Amino acid sequence: MRFRLLAAISLALNLFLIVVLFSGRQREDRLEQDALGAAPASPAAREAEPAVPGLETDGGALVGALAMGDVASWEALHSDDFKVFVAKLRKAGFPGSVSADIVVGEVERSMRAKAALADAPDMEWWKPGADEVLARRADAASDALKADRDALLTDLLGADWEAARSESGLVPRVTALPGLGPERARAVLAAEEEFETSLAKLRRESMAAGREADEAEVARLREAKRLALDRILNDRQLEGYQLRHSELAKSMRRELVDFNATSNEFLTIFRICEPVEREIALECSGGDEASAPKRKDLERKRDGELMQALGKDRFQEYRFNRDPLYRSARAFASKVGATGSAVLSLYEISGMGMAERNRIEQDEELDELARRAALMETRRKFDGYLQQILAGEAMKKYRASGLDFLDTLPR
């Protein structure tokens, strides 16, 4: 029985390759106009438009059907009515686990289509809280899809359907741009999933080797995803996606919480930084001495363009908000109720405090008692600085809070 099943699967794979090579899937006549304002293509342009990557027919269930040894059997077996589909599979004699895998695959494929068509409201991508809003929406959409999937599969296969199948694929998250239309949205979701699978594999392999994932390898995976999206989306759609979902946009929203960027400022900063950050990540991410000069040149070029675009004062605010020490000083001032003018003074002593703390903690010539004593002396010195910077009430609040200034500094 096991030999026959293996032979059937082998035959199915061969037949599947033949089907892929010699048969094509008709594309939809037109792609829906995206919500970002792209003009609809002319009939001639649509005819010349290349096939969108990632839109091939899902072959998982097809291979299962081809295991029956009949290329045309999928059309005979498949039904949009899942109850009829399950009945046909059972009547055809598919083993329970194989039947369950096929049904789960088809149900989840249906869920992917549902996710691609979901009417998700757009996010205000330039605001600091945008990622949290998106995460909440994605979690809610994913939970709803999973609940629908589980209820449907329980109805089709019984309460123990999970035990009768192999590991299932993930129900997709709704992260594509709203209004793309089902074809492009499905392709974007496929590109996301391919990237996340590759990144997870890289991290597992790196962990097994006892090291962190190589930054240059991660950058190459991100670039491959970007190139895949570039083949799916037009320039405006790609920029819209990057503004909402790229790592650069997410880091900008984290870092510029108090910068209060307008949508135009955010877009300007992103357009200047994006090509530079990509080049740095791909060519200068190792931290080696050979790439250091090029990295500095790229950063100087970026900062010069930003200052010209934002103006001197606004650029200075931007630089402050990107500096972890400044953000730390600002957060500390907020906790103790210090006035805005104290933030710059706290910022000035933060660099000294962090350097002194790190020097003591990393000094291998100090034993534990000597290290504690040195840190205690440093804390007393910085308490003196804080008494000069903080007003009376702010200093009282600092004392009552139990905070340690040195411990609030970035590591």
Side-chain angles (χ1 to χ4, degrees), residues 246-253 266 269-270 273-275 277:
S246 69
E247 290 302 310
L248 173 60
K250 291 176 183 177
S251 68
M252 284 174 58
R253 287 189 283 269
F266 193 100
I269 294 168
F270 182 87
C273 291
E274 198 264 348
E277 296 301 331

Side-chain angles (χ1 to χ4, degrees), residues 14 30-31 50-51 65 142 150 247 294 308 316 328 367 409:
N14 287 324
R30 62 177 295 176
L31 301 174
S142 180
D150 292 352
E247 290 302 310
K294 182 174 182 178
Q308 185 175 3
Q316 190 61 42
S328 171
D367 59 24
L409 301 176

Side-chain angles (χ1 to χ4, degrees), residues 306-351:
L306 285 169
M307 184 165 66
Q308 185 175 3
L310 297 174
K312 185 176 180 180
D313 292 342
R314 195 66 172 143
F315 174 70
Q316 190 61 42
E317 286 186 61
Y318 166 78
R319 291 191 68 179
F320 276 148
N321 277 273
R322 288 199 68 207
D323 190 331
L325 278 173
Y326 181 80
R327 296 200 301 271
S328 171
R330 187 181 58 213
F332 179 84
S334 177
K335 287 177 182 177
V336 300
T339 60
S341 61
V343 174
L344 286 178
S345 297
L346 290 168
Y347 176 51
E348 289 176 1
I349 69 170
S350 291

Side-chain angles (χ1 to χ4, degrees), residues 137-196:
R137 289 177 182 167
D139 288 343
S142 180
D143 290 345
L145 286 172
K146 287 177 182 177
D148 290 347
R149 178 200 66 177
D150 292 352
L152 178 56
L153 289 172
T154 298
D155 183 45
L156 294 171
L157 302 175
D160 59 345
W161 63 270
E162 288 188 280
R165 64 176 182 97
S166 58
E167 187 64 25
S168 169
L170 296 176
V171 174
R173 294 170 298 129
V174 184
T175 58
L177 292 175
L180 280 183
E183 190 176 6
R184 289 188 189 275
R186 283 194 294 268
V188 170
L189 291 172
E192 288 179 338
E193 289 179 2
E194 182 176 355
F195 164 73
E196 290 170 1

Side-chain angles (χ1 to χ4, degrees), residues 77-355:
L77 284 170
H78 190 261
S79 173
D80 292 332
D81 185 327
F82 283 116
K83 289 190 176 182
V84 172
F85 183 42
V86 171
K88 286 184 176 182
L89 289 173
R90 289 172 177 167
K91 185 177 180 181
F94 280 81
S97 59
V98 175
S99 179
D101 279 342
I102 295 173
V103 174
V104 169
E106 284 300 297
V107 167
E108 291 188 342
R109 184 185 61 80
S110 175
M111 292 296 171
R112 291 175 191 277
K114 185 176 180 180
L117 290 167
D119 185 19
D122 200 5
M123 58 190 284
E124 294 178 306
W125 39 263
W126 63 95
K127 293 190 175 180
D131 293 309
E132 288 75 11
V133 172
L134 180 64
R136 288 196 299 270
R137 289 177 182 167
D139 288 343
S142 180
D143 290 345
L145 286 172
K146 287 177 182 177
D148 290 347
R149 178 200 66 177
D150 292 352
L152 178 56
L153 289 172
T154 298
D155 183 45
L156 294 171
L157 302 175
D160 59 345
W161 63 270
E162 288 188 280
R165 64 176 182 97
S166 58
E167 187 64 25
S168 169
L170 296 176
V171 174
R173 294 170 298 129
V174 184
T175 58
L177 292 175
L180 280 183
E183 190 176 6
R184 289 188 189 275
R186 283 194 294 268
V188 170
L189 291 172
E192 288 179 338
E193 289 179 2
E194 182 176 355
F195 164 73
E196 290 170 1
T197 300
S198 299
L199 181 60
K201 180 183 178 183
L202 174 63
R203 287 174 172 165
R204 284 195 306 270
E205 292 173 348
S206 301
M207 186 179 297
R211 56 180 172 79
E212 294 288 330
D214 183 69
E215 291 182 10
E217 287 295 327
V218 174
R220 280 190 280 273
L221 290 178
R222 294 195 193 285
E223 184 68 9
K225 174 188 172 184
R226 190 186 188 282
L227 292 174
L229 292 171
D230 190 38
R231 291 190 292 269
I232 298 166
L233 306 172
N234 63 38
D235 290 344
R236 190 175 183 184
Q237 291 167 341
L238 178 61
E239 182 175 77
Y241 179 93
Q242 296 290 86
L243 284 166
R244 291 157 177 79
H245 304 301
S246 69
E247 290 302 310
L248 173 60
K250 291 176 183 177
S251 68
M252 284 174 58
R253 287 189 283 269
R254 287 194 301 269
E255 294 169 355
L256 303 180
V257 170
D258 290 325
F259 182 66
N260 294 322
T262 65
S263 59
N264 285 337
E265 283 180 325
F266 193 100
L267 181 59
T268 297
I269 294 168
F270 182 87
R271 285 176 171 172
I272 292 172
C273 291
E274 198 264 348
V276 175
E277 296 301 331
R278 283 173 60 203
E279 189 170 355
I280 288 174
L282 288 169
E283 300 182 18
C284 314
S285 62
D288 56 291
E289 293 183 7
S291 65
K294 182 174 182 178
R295 183 184 187 114
K296 288 182 179 178
D297 286 343
L298 288 168
E299 290 173 343
R300 278 195 293 268
K301 175 178 178 292
R302 176 199 64 198
D303 289 350
E305 291 179 5
L306 285 169
M307 184 165 66
Q308 185 175 3
L310 297 174
K312 185 176 180 180
D313 292 342
R314 195 66 172 143
F315 174 70
Q316 190 61 42
E317 286 186 61
Y318 166 78
R319 291 191 68 179
F320 276 148
N321 277 273
R322 288 199 68 207
D323 190 331
L325 278 173
Y326 181 80
R327 296 200 301 271
S328 171
R330 187 181 58 213
F332 179 84
S334 177
K335 287 177 182 177
V336 300
T339 60
S341 61
V343 174
L344 286 178
S345 297
L346 290 168
Y347 176 51
E348 289 176 1
I349 69 170
S350 291
M352 295 187 296
M354 186 172 70

